[in-house]
Amino acid sequence: MPQNPEKIQDHVELFHQPEYKQLFQNKKQFENGHEGEEVERVAEWTKSWDYREKNFAREALTVNPAKACQPLGAIFAAVGFEGTLPFVQGSQGCVSYFRSHLTRHYKEPFSGVSSSMTEDAAVFGGLQNMIDGLANSYQLYKPKMIAVCTTCMAEVIGDDLQSFINNAKEAGSVPQDFPVPYAHTPSFVGSHITGYDNMMKGILSNLTAGHKKETSNGKINFIPGFDTYVGNNREIKRIASLFGLDYTLLADNSDYLDSPNTGEFDMYPTATKLEDAADSINAIATIALQSHSTLKTREYIEKEWKQPTAVCRPWGIKGTDELLMKISELSGLPIPEELENERGRAVDAMTDSHSWIHGKRFAIFGEPDLVYCVVGFMLEMGAEPVHILVHNSNDVFEAEMKELLASSPFGRNATLWPGKDLWHMRSLMFTEPVDFLVGNTYGKYLWRDTKIPLVRIGYPIMDRHHLHRYATIGYQGIINLLNWTVNTLFEEIDRNTNTPSKTDISYDLIR
């Protein structure tokens, strides 16, 4: 339907226009829908314990999974390296989804190419697509490295990436010495954190080959993991700089995902230099800031590089303390006074807000590392987790989460819901309500349905701007987490006390 180009309306307003209302009304005659009374009856029933039992009995259906697929994590890892172009061996539709999903979160263009596999490639294999695709990518976009991953189609037909890349180099698609690391990332197993891990291992094994030296370079490596807060990369660099530490961040995608608007497009903003990544094999140690998105990478580093690794998840006071002490232990450098002062300010902020969070019951969903870290922070504030839902869970995560919950009197009534989706979470929140929910944008519909306020933490966050620019790690991150949590609770109080002389019956200007 034509619009006045001088009065373009947002979809929120557009679909309330008379012509759209009529369009929706006309559609109903073809939908064979039930009467409104029956819809309302069934909707109410879906909030009951009876429906919850039926909901949790389903096995062959997933409704709104709380995870993404492997290639998304793989291309996210790739862009943290200098001049790197992600290349997806699969269909155009798949890579378009990955790019758009990340773009909607960051409000930044996300570059990535596809081998454009179609029905022919699905039958005969994607070798020619790889040969042509690498040649075009190298000539058109002038990358310093092309990182290849796969989609379901390529995995189902059994495309061998190592063989395909070798054949493409023999055909002259790219120079023989041009780095083309790869990772097999089938979407039908694992999740985005598995894809991140596979690609990180693939890139590091490619770049570091032949670079092992007899002596250490004196550096410490940091691997952020699948962490979508660009402020966290900048925070870890700031912390390392305060120590005076020589370090390498594997990999730094903060400028790629939060680039300055200078009026000129830069396809490859500043990232971890390839020579620094190649030399990471000679570091003193590697510290991973997440556990479950770095499992294979850490195993590879320990086995092949003979380099010690550690996991330090610096969320909350305890987690940040552990990271700083580990850096001090490995480097021999004292913890800077500035960071000690920041700790004091974080504790002061927690003291200011604890009375509003203490004793509040909450539910949470997300990937394993994020959920573990947020629950740990909430326990420090005295909040009580009730429902902990991790779709891409595993036995190691469940064991460490149970240990964390048992360590605090506020965590002993929590229930873990591994492998469940957000439609399961809906049943939980209706039958066992909580004071607030923690999760990404997909929790918005749970909030609308259940009226339980949503604290937006995680990935993706597509309906709020700029949250990804903040830090959630370190003592600075504590204050941001406090801000989002306690102010969400205040907003809910205000929503429930906004009727003059009825719900608004006290002077509540000050909190």
Side-chain angles (χ1 to χ4, degrees), residues 76-354:
F76 178 82
V79 298
F81 293 91
E82 175 190 22
T84 297
L85 179 67
F87 182 106
V88 181
Q89 176 75 345
S91 68
Q92 289 180 332
C94 288
V95 73
S96 295
Y97 158 70
F98 309 139
R99 289 199 312 253
S100 65
H101 207 262
L102 289 159
T103 294
R104 289 167 180 169
H105 175 81
Y106 288 106
K107 309 298 185 277
E108 294 280 346
F110 194 102
S111 300
V113 296
S114 165
S115 59
S116 301
M117 292 173 65
T118 57
E119 292 86 347
D120 289 349
V123 175
F124 301 110
L127 173 58
Q128 192 58 49
N129 296 70
M130 174 74 74
I131 292 173
D132 294 340
L134 286 180
N136 291 337
S137 300
Y138 181 73
Q139 293 296 328
L140 288 173
Y141 303 116
K142 306 295 188 294
K144 293 186 176 181
M145 180 168 76
I146 298 176
V148 180
C149 64
T150 54
T151 63
C152 295
M153 182 192 297
E155 290 295 327
V156 168
I157 63 178
D159 282 358
D160 182 343
L161 291 186
Q162 180 65 75
S163 174
F164 281 17
I165 292 167
N166 289 343
N167 286 333
K169 287 188 173 183
E170 289 293 331
S173 297
V174 296
Q176 284 288 346
D177 60 349
F178 184 81
V180 187
Y182 67 90
H184 284 276
T185 52
S187 298
F188 44 78
V189 295
S191 69
H192 55 293
I193 64 172
T194 318
Y196 177 95
D197 195 14
N198 287 337
M199 181 56 81
M200 186 61 66
K201 176 188 172 185
I203 290 174
L204 293 180
S205 60
N206 181 287
L207 293 179
T208 61
H211 287 272
K212 183 68 174 177
K213 298 178 180 177
E214 294 296 326
T215 57
S216 168
N217 60 21
K219 295 183 178 181
I220 294 177
N221 300 324
F222 294 100
I223 303 178
F226 188 88
D227 186 338
T228 55
Y229 289 89
V230 296
N232 285 347
N233 282 356
R234 291 168 180 157
E235 181 64 8
I236 197 67
K237 290 188 288 186
R238 187 184 71 90
I239 289 172
S241 296
L242 288 173
F243 267 96
L245 185 70
D246 203 1
Y247 68 95
T248 302
L249 188 58
L250 302 169
D252 185 6
N253 54 22
S254 53
D255 284 348
Y256 186 96
L257 300 168
D258 185 27
S259 58
N261 189 340
T262 63
E264 294 184 7
F265 175 66
D266 182 1
M267 192 168 181
Y268 306 110
T270 304
T272 300
K273 292 185 178 299
L274 300 187
E275 56 264 33
D276 290 340
D279 194 38
S280 63
I281 192 173
N282 299 306
I284 299 170
T286 295
I287 298 177
L289 305 184
Q290 290 186 357
S291 173
H292 302 282
S293 64
T294 61
L295 289 169
K296 293 179 182 177
T297 304
R298 287 185 286 116
E299 182 181 5
Y300 165 77
I301 290 172
E302 291 173 357
K303 182 179 179 180
E304 300 297 330
W305 296 4
K306 311 300 182 188
Q307 187 180 117
T309 70
V311 174
C312 296
R313 293 175 280 203
W315 291 56
I317 292 292
K318 182 174 183 291
T320 304
D321 288 352
E322 289 175 350
L323 173 65
L324 300 189
M325 289 188 288
K326 176 57 70 172
I327 292 174
S328 181
E329 172 193 331
L330 291 172
S331 66
L333 299 169
I335 295 175
E337 183 180 359
E338 183 172 341
L339 292 175
E340 293 182 357
N341 291 336
E342 287 180 13
R343 186 184 195 277
R345 284 191 288 272
V347 170
D348 182 63
M350 294 169 73
T351 304
D352 292 342
S353 301
H354 90 278

Side-chain angles (χ1 to χ4, degrees), residues 61-79:
L61 174 68
T62 296
V63 183
N64 205 356
K67 65 182 181 69
C69 55
Q70 282 206 50
L72 184 140
I75 67 174
F76 178 82
V79 298

